[in-house]
Amino acid sequence: MKIADATIEIMKKEDIQIIIPFLDESICFEILKLANKRESKGKGLKRIQNTCRRVANALEKDKRFEKFIHVTGKRAFELKD
């Protein structure tokens, strides 16, 4: 399963409208687990950042998501209808 497909599944299951990978670290780890992907290498904060970056990059490439910059300055993604 692709990361984008796993994200859509989690968003629908938990009724989430917008995902902000760098603010929702726990969801990023759930997405990788559901997609059967290995966790990112590194320790501590670096590992969390790498994981969230992988999810954000995958969503940015997928045409089913609309990217925008959240008020916090982080990349955010909304599922297109």
Side-chain angles (χ1 to χ4, degrees), residues 15-59:
D15 197 31
I16 300 171
Q17 302 297 321
I18 296 171
I19 185 167
I20 307 166
F22 288 96
L23 296 180
D24 302 329
E25 294 110 2
S26 60
I27 292 179
C28 292
F29 285 102
E30 285 182 46
I31 290 169
L32 288 184
K33 187 174 183 180
L34 184 63
N36 293 324
K37 304 288 183 190
R38 289 184 178 170
E39 289 186 5
S40 297
K41 294 184 179 183
K43 294 182 181 178
L45 183 61
K46 189 69 171 174
R47 182 172 148 249
I48 293 170
Q49 290 175 341
N50 287 341
T51 300
C52 292
R53 188 175 297 114
R54 283 176 63 193
V55 172
N57 289 341
L59 298 181

Side-chain angles (χ1 to χ4, degrees), residues 5-20:
D5 296 331
T7 304
I8 291 171
E9 191 171 318
I10 287 176
M11 288 177 77
K12 288 183 178 179
K13 181 179 77 171
E14 297 184 13
D15 197 31
I16 300 171
Q17 302 297 321
I18 296 171
I19 185 167
I20 307 166

